[in-house]
Structure formats: C-alpha cells, structure tokens
Amino acid sequence: MVYLDHAATSYPKPAEVTRAVLDYLVTAGANPGRSGHTLSARAARIIFEAREAIARHLGADDSRQMIFTNNATTALNLALAGMLHSGGHVVTTSLEHNSVMRPLRHLRERRGVTVSVVRSDSDGRIDPEKIRAAITPRTRLVVVNHGSNVIGTVAPIPEIRQAVGAIPLLIDAAQTAGAVPINVARDAIDLLAFTGHKALLGPQGTGGLYIRPGLDLPPLTRGGTGSGSESDDQPAILPDLHESGTPNGPGIAGLGAGVRLLTVTGHDAVWRREQALLKRLWTGLREIGGLTLYGPDNQLGRLPVVSLRIGDQAPSATAHALDRRNDIKVRAGLHCAPEAHRSLGTFPAGTVRLAAGYMSTDADIDRAVAAIREIAQEARN
Ligand code: ALA
C-alpha cells in the first residue's frame, strides 16, 4: 500500500504517538485539572508538557497562549467569530479552505461582515501587494492560508505581515504546522490555527490556536474549566478562557509525542526531506505525456502536494484506478477548497492530489509515478 494522502491526515502515525495515546489511557486516564488526585495531576502534567512542546515548536514565548481545540476548523471558527463579532471588514484569499470560507459567509449574512477575497494567480501564488490594496479603514482582520492543500504553494508570511501593517493577521497553518518552519513571535503572527493530525503527526481530533499576548478574543464556547468554579463568569485567564469541557487527553498526549519527535528531528531536516520528496515526485510526473500538472513549474518552497489531471479523465476515476489497481491512496475532487480550484481553472471537477508526508519513502513516490504513467498511457491509447 502507498499512502499519499498526508494533506488529509498523516498515516501511519509514528510508534511514539500511538504509545503515548495508549500510555495516557492506561496510566493517566483521569480528568485533567478537575479532581485533585494524583491520577488527575498526571493527566494534567501530560497536557501541560504537550502545550509546552507545541509552543516551543511554533515559536510562542508562553505556552498559555496555545489553546487546544478539536481541529483547525474549530480554531479558525474561534478566531473568526471572536475577531469579527461586531462586524467589520476582512481580507482573505482564494486559496482558503471551506473552514475559512464558510464561517466568513455566515458572518457576512448574520453579522454584516464584509469580505474581500484576493485571488491567487493561476499557479496559486498570492501577491502581498494585492492584500495591502484590499485593506480599508474598516478592516479588522486578514486571514491567509499558509500552505495550499490543493497545490502546496506556501504563502510569504513576512511579506504579507509587512503588507498588512498593524491589522491583526490570522494564519491557517493546517497544512504547514510541522512541515514548514513557523515562528509566531519572529513573524509577528497574531493568530495561528493548526491541526494536530497532519504534519504534526498527532491523532485526529487535535488542533489548536495560538493567540498573541494581549489580543482580546472572546471565547466560542463557555463552561467548566476546573478553575474559578465559584463564579458563573468564564475565567479570563488563558488557556482556560477558551478551553471549556474535558479535553481530548489521549489525543493531546499523542500530539505532544508527535511534536517532540519533530523537534528532535529538527524543522530544517523535515523541510529538506519534504522538498526532496516534492522534487522526486514533480520530476517524475513532468516526464509523463498527457498529464496536466498544476502550480509553478519549480520544486522550491512548496509542500510535497501535487495536483494533476490525466487528459480529460475525471479526477475521481484516476483516484479510483490508483486505489483499486495499485493500492495507492490519493484524494480527488475539490479538496474542500472550491475557490482555489476556480483560481487554477479546475472547478468543478477538481484534480487528483498526491500528497506526500515526512515519512513517505522514495519508493512510494516511484510507485505512484509509475502507476500514473501507466494510466496516462492507457488514456492516450
Ligand atoms: N483539508 C483536508 C484535505 O485537504 C482534509 O484533504
């Protein structure tokens, strides 16, 4: 089996991650931060250590600024609803996932938020100057996808930060946290949403939001936190303000193990490996006749995520053939990012997406290239 669907979720998880989930369930499965007993304290300790690990990995000075959520979608909803709760104008890009587009549509209809969508070029690149030009005196937030889940292009965060000036900047790092070096302090990022189950190698049902110190963000949910229980006011301290209800302890334990593994490996080593995988994949695919590859024709600075089409074959038919004949797992269609496909000119059928991950092997790439070559040859005959 060849798994090239890492942009949807990384698989399989490293042994360290599965072991940490199991360890938590077996040795610390009490409710963290609620009961005072030793088992509860052990669970709380594991969650604290995971929070510290992710804060260090993403460059946050204080781990209390790192809020755990169920996924990147919840983190994005929290950030968008909080920043735009009393209306205003938001600038975003055509590369955004529905986890940004749908909450923004809701906020437009229910809160009168106005939305400017800066379109990428046909290679999926965003011009920071176009973002600057879209800002108005009413702009409350700029939301930018860090790495495209459709074609892997990576947005130039420092240039975008400079272009937006003092306007708060929300980065959707669903595809990049764990894959592309990120430093929220150095890049002056105000809010950064991430998922735990992709390049950070953690279990599904994990993710989070980094919130810049001093940024006032009302919570999306309110409830029990194990702190300040005498009051029916939500505690104002972080992370409690945004973390009501029992957390996903086993998942967060696994996420902590995934992040620690990446930290030991090193940001640069992970990024170099992903670049090597991309180069191998792109170089192999571009030799195949009858194939359309999307995105810039170079292998620099992109995630190992490649979108393609074989002639006029339906992307779903190609993905089905890869799965049934070659046991190769990829994702076809719109990848929950219809505007990105409009920018690429691949709406509504979408593309076939091959998404490698840090743990993909050269042999995985070679088998996928050979299988696509065979399907493309058949399609031509
Ligand atoms: N957003 C994920 C993907 O791109 C699920 O497949």
Side-chain angles (χ1 to χ4, degrees):
M1 194 272 281
V2 171
Y3 183 82
L4 288 177
D5 199 14
H6 288 268
T9 196
S10 54
Y11 173 84
K13 304 301 178 189
E16 289 84 343
V17 171
T18 43
R19 220 171 17 242
V21 173
L22 192 64
D23 264 5
Y24 182 95
L25 287 168
V26 173
T27 69
N31 203 322
R34 268 55 177 189
S35 325
H37 53 74
T38 48
L39 214 53
S40 169
R42 180 164 160 69
R45 179 87 212 159
I46 291 171
I47 289 176
F48 171 75
E49 282 167 2
R51 200 186 300 280
E52 288 275 300
I54 186 78
R56 272 196 305 276
H57 194 76
L58 297 177
D61 294 329
D62 184 342
S63 70
R64 286 172 297 187
Q65 306 301 132
M66 220 33 106
I67 305 306
F68 284 125
T69 60
N70 296 337
N71 43 43
T73 299
T74 312
L76 288 164
N77 272 267
L78 162 58
L80 293 170
M83 294 302 290
L84 301 166
H85 68 101
S86 50
H89 172 245
V90 59
V91 180
T92 191
T93 82
S94 63
L95 295 181
E96 305 312 308
H97 191 269
N98 274 338
S99 51
V100 167
M101 293 304 197
R102 288 179 172 171
L104 285 183
R105 189 188 177 99
H106 171 79
L107 290 166
R108 209 172 64 197
E109 287 169 358
R110 298 297 174 94
R111 305 264 178 89
V113 168
T114 52
V115 182
S116 297
V117 179
V118 171
R119 199 151 280 285
S120 79
D121 66 13
S122 58
D123 275 340
R125 283 179 294 221
I126 296 288
D127 178 355
E129 282 311 311
K130 286 193 182 164
I131 297 182
R132 189 202 303 270
I135 289 172
T136 75
R138 289 186 68 242
T139 306
R140 302 255 171 89
L141 186 67
V142 172
V143 189
V144 175
N145 178 280
H146 191 199
S148 165
N149 69 324
V150 178
I151 48 168
T153 43
V154 175
I157 299 295
E159 287 81 350
I160 292 173
R161 174 75 268 177
Q162 212 176 16
V164 307
I167 311 280
L169 178 62
L170 164 60
I171 299 296
D172 173 1
Q175 295 296 332
T176 52
V180 181
I182 300 175
N183 189 300
V184 289
R186 184 198 58 211
D187 290 333
I189 293 168
D190 299 279
L191 295 150
L192 181 134
F194 63 92
T195 186
H197 69 96
K198 295 184 181 178
L200 289 173
L201 307 175
Q204 294 173 16
T206 60
L209 182 69
Y210 161 76
I211 304 171
R212 189 243 307 147
L215 189 73
D216 182 26
L217 188 75
L220 194 61
T221 49
R222 295 170 178 81
T225 56
S227 54
S229 298
E230 69 288 352
S231 167
D232 59 9
D233 277 336
Q234 187 72 9
I237 51 161
L238 293 181
D240 304 30
L241 174 65
H242 298 290
E243 288 187 2
S244 295
T246 301
N248 176 5
I252 293 170
L255 173 59
V259 172
R260 282 191 288 273
L261 193 63
L262 289 169
T263 303
V264 169
T265 310
H267 268 145
D268 293 339
V270 173
W271 181 232
R272 271 199 308 276
R273 174 68 189 143
E274 299 212 340
Q275 295 297 283
L277 288 164
L278 171 68
K279 188 164 182 201
R280 195 175 186 96
L281 183 58
W282 189 270
T283 313
L285 292 172
R286 75 204 287 260
E287 302 305 320
I288 301 174
L291 213 67
T292 308
L293 289 175
Y294 297 91
D297 187 24
N298 69 48
Q299 298 88 43
L300 292 176
R302 286 169 65 182
L303 296 163
V305 174
V306 173
S307 257
L308 59 85
R309 271 198 201 168
I310 296 179
D312 57 7
Q313 188 172 89
S316 53
T318 311
H320 191 259
L322 286 169
D323 187 20
R324 298 306 155 94
R325 290 173 21 174
N326 307 96
D327 208 8
I328 295 174
K329 316 299 180 193
V330 301
R331 182 174 175 194
L334 293 175
H335 313 97
C336 300
E339 282 311 310
H341 282 282
R342 283 197 179 93
S343 289
L344 298 178
T346 50
F347 185 87
T351 54
V352 181
R353 183 188 70 186
L354 278 65
Y358 174 64
M359 282 178 307
S360 301
T361 63
D362 288 354
D364 291 340
I365 303 294
D366 295 348
R367 272 192 57 197
V369 170
I372 298 230
R373 183 180 298 114
E374 199 179 288
I375 297 172
Q377 247 156 22
E378 284 171 15
R380 280 206 305 276
N381 293 336

